[in-house]
Amino acid sequence: MIVTDKNYINNGNTALAPERKSSEDKRYKVKQEENEKLRKLRQSKLRSQAKVMIGIALTFTIGFTVVYRYSSIYNMEKNLSAATMENDNMNKNNENLKLQLMKNSQIQIIEDKASKLNMVKSDKNQAAYVDYNRQTLKSNNTVDSKKQKSIFQQIKDKLF
């Protein structure tokens, strides 16, 4: 049987390794290159998707922070306006009270009201004087302090 398609070279008793066709090697290398290109393409797509997701997350975070700050500023302004309104109301009430005090502190008005109530001016003989320096009622503080001192003295006596 004669094989003419394949060229094998025989030198002596050892045969040289046959040459393989390069088309199989090329196919393998081409597949590897294609797989490598696909892998790189997938990685680049994943990176771009990750960048987009990070951008979305950052945008959401910044937006949330801005809205939160605006809400806190709004609450502060609301509290400030409520405090200023309360202050204005207090000032108006103070002015009204001052006017009433001035109105009611006039001597003629007081005398008229006293005469309506049948009040009479007191004489010097009818005046009663009170001495605020003299103690009229005994306070219970002295008894409490004695009890406390005695309790402390008892504890001191027991310990020492």
Side-chain angles (χ1 to χ4, degrees):
M1 168 167 144
I2 301 173
V3 179
T4 58
D5 292 328
K6 305 223 179 198
N7 295 329
Y8 292 111
I9 300 172
N10 293 332
N11 289 336
N13 61 355
T14 52
L16 293 176
E19 292 183 17
R20 293 185 182 172
K21 293 183 180 178
S22 60
S23 63
E24 292 177 9
D25 290 336
K26 286 181 183 178
R27 284 186 214 156
Y28 181 71
K29 286 181 183 179
V30 168
K31 280 188 177 183
Q32 280 183 341
E33 288 174 2
E34 287 176 3
N35 288 339
E36 188 68 24
K37 285 180 184 179
L38 286 174
R39 187 179 61 81
K40 286 183 181 181
L41 183 64
R42 286 182 194 143
Q43 285 179 350
S44 66
K45 283 183 181 180
L46 285 175
R47 284 185 190 143
S48 65
Q49 287 177 350
K51 288 179 184 178
V52 168
M53 294 300 281
I54 289 172
I56 290 170
L58 285 175
T59 304
F60 176 75
T61 304
I62 291 170
F64 181 76
T65 305
V66 167
V67 169
Y68 175 75
R69 292 299 297 162
Y70 276 132
S71 69
S72 63
I73 290 170
Y74 174 75
N75 286 335
M76 286 181 199
E77 287 178 352
K78 188 172 85 171
N79 291 339
L80 179 64
S81 66
T84 55
M85 287 178 66
E86 185 177 342
N87 189 16
D88 292 341
N89 289 338
M90 289 291 192
N91 287 337
K92 288 177 184 177
N93 288 339
N94 283 342
E95 289 295 322
N96 289 337
L97 290 174
K98 285 179 184 178
L99 288 174
Q100 286 179 359
L101 181 65
M102 292 179 93
K103 182 180 174 184
N104 291 330
S105 66
Q106 293 177 0
I107 294 176
Q108 285 182 339
I109 295 173
I110 294 172
E111 287 178 353
D112 290 341
K113 286 184 182 180
S115 64
K116 285 180 185 176
L117 295 172
N118 297 326
M119 297 176 118
V120 181
K121 247 185 183 180
S122 64
D123 294 334
K124 290 185 179 179
N125 297 334
Q126 294 174 341
Y129 296 102
V130 178
D131 185 15
Y132 289 112
N133 292 332
R134 195 178 102 202
Q135 187 176 8
T136 56
L137 296 174
K138 292 184 179 180
S139 64
N140 292 332
N141 294 339
T142 57
V143 175
D144 292 337
S145 64
K146 288 180 183 177
K147 286 182 181 178
Q148 289 176 352
K149 288 180 183 177
S150 65
I151 291 172
F152 288 126
Q153 287 176 354
Q154 289 176 1
I155 293 172
K156 186 177 178 183
D157 293 338
K158 287 181 182 179
L159 293 176
F160 302 107

